[in-house]
Amino acid sequence: MFNIFKKKKYVDIYSPINGILLKIEDVPDPVFSQKMVGDGVALEPTEGIVYSPVNGTIIQLFPTKHALGIKTEEGLEILIHIGMDTVEMKGNGFESFVSEGERVKIGDKLLKFDMELVKKEHPLTSPIIITNMDIVDKIVKEPDGEEVKAGKTKIMRVYLK
């Protein structure tokens, strides 16, 4: 017998960076704006520190430290990508405080990046993407243009199938 009172599963994702919330469609890179790697939002950072937006495990830390992946306890996979084309910086101006396999909770410090150095050559716009959309039923995004605080402001609620 099935339980009609079973709650729908969802994951709240908090801002990983202090900044301004943007629509994913406004990201100046078609890989992100056309949702080729997944759906989500973007941030225009006002500070160069990245905090965990969820409770989960670091599943990928790029050698260049410009991006990382987190898997939540519910199985949702989130990519945090700092700036556009920042892989070209080869890690210059990026510092990591975590490693792959490490468990993190909302608000834990993950990365630091030199905003001025990134801005010299690349847009700072930073996508926050759900990469395993096959387990997602729907995403409710907070309104763009709002100022968000890392670890404090919810930016998305992701409902799971």
Side-chain angles (χ1 to χ4, degrees):
M1 191 160 196
F2 61 92
N3 181 357
I4 59 171
F5 298 107
K6 184 179 175 194
K7 287 186 178 176
K8 187 163 185 95
K9 284 198 166 262
Y10 64 86
V11 178
D12 284 336
I13 300 174
Y14 294 85
S15 183
I17 306 168
N18 289 329
I20 305 298
L21 190 61
L22 304 172
K23 290 179 185 164
I24 195 65
E25 294 84 0
D26 294 340
V27 173
D29 181 330
V31 170
F32 294 111
S33 64
Q34 295 176 16
K35 305 177 185 179
M36 292 179 197
V37 289
D39 197 357
V41 297
L43 297 164
E44 195 62 38
T46 55
E47 181 185 43
I49 302 175
V50 180
Y51 301 90
S52 183
V54 292
N55 296 328
T57 303
I58 303 298
I59 56 170
Q60 186 174 25
L61 176 62
F62 287 73
T64 51
K65 299 177 180 69
H66 77 287
L68 58 76
I70 303 173
K71 186 173 193 170
T72 70
E73 293 143 353
E74 299 81 7
L76 196 65
E77 295 176 6
I78 301 160
L79 171 68
I80 301 172
H81 191 286
I82 307 306
M84 296 288 104
D85 301 317
T86 45
V87 68
E88 296 168 4
M89 295 177 70
K90 298 184 170 79
N92 188 22
F94 294 88
E95 182 182 352
S96 171
F97 300 102
V98 292
S99 53
E100 287 182 10
E102 192 172 327
R103 297 211 18 90
V104 294
K105 58 188 186 322
I106 295 167
D108 285 353
K109 191 193 264 189
L110 305 178
L111 300 171
K112 185 166 97 176
F113 60 99
D114 184 330
M115 285 180 58
E116 294 308 311
L117 192 60
V118 173
K119 254 197 303 199
K120 280 182 186 173
E121 297 181 36
H122 305 282
L124 277 171
T125 307
S126 300
I128 315 303
I129 304 294
I130 308 304
T131 57
N132 60 339
M133 290 297 294
D134 56 310
I135 71 164
V136 174
D137 182 30
K138 72 176 181 177
I139 301 176
V140 178
K141 302 173 188 181
E142 295 302 314
D144 60 302
E146 298 291 317
E147 185 175 338
V148 294
K149 296 285 180 208
K152 306 277 186 223
T153 308
K154 183 175 70 170
I155 57 174
M156 291 184 276
R157 176 169 280 179
V158 181
Y159 290 91
L160 306 174
K161 288 181 179 174

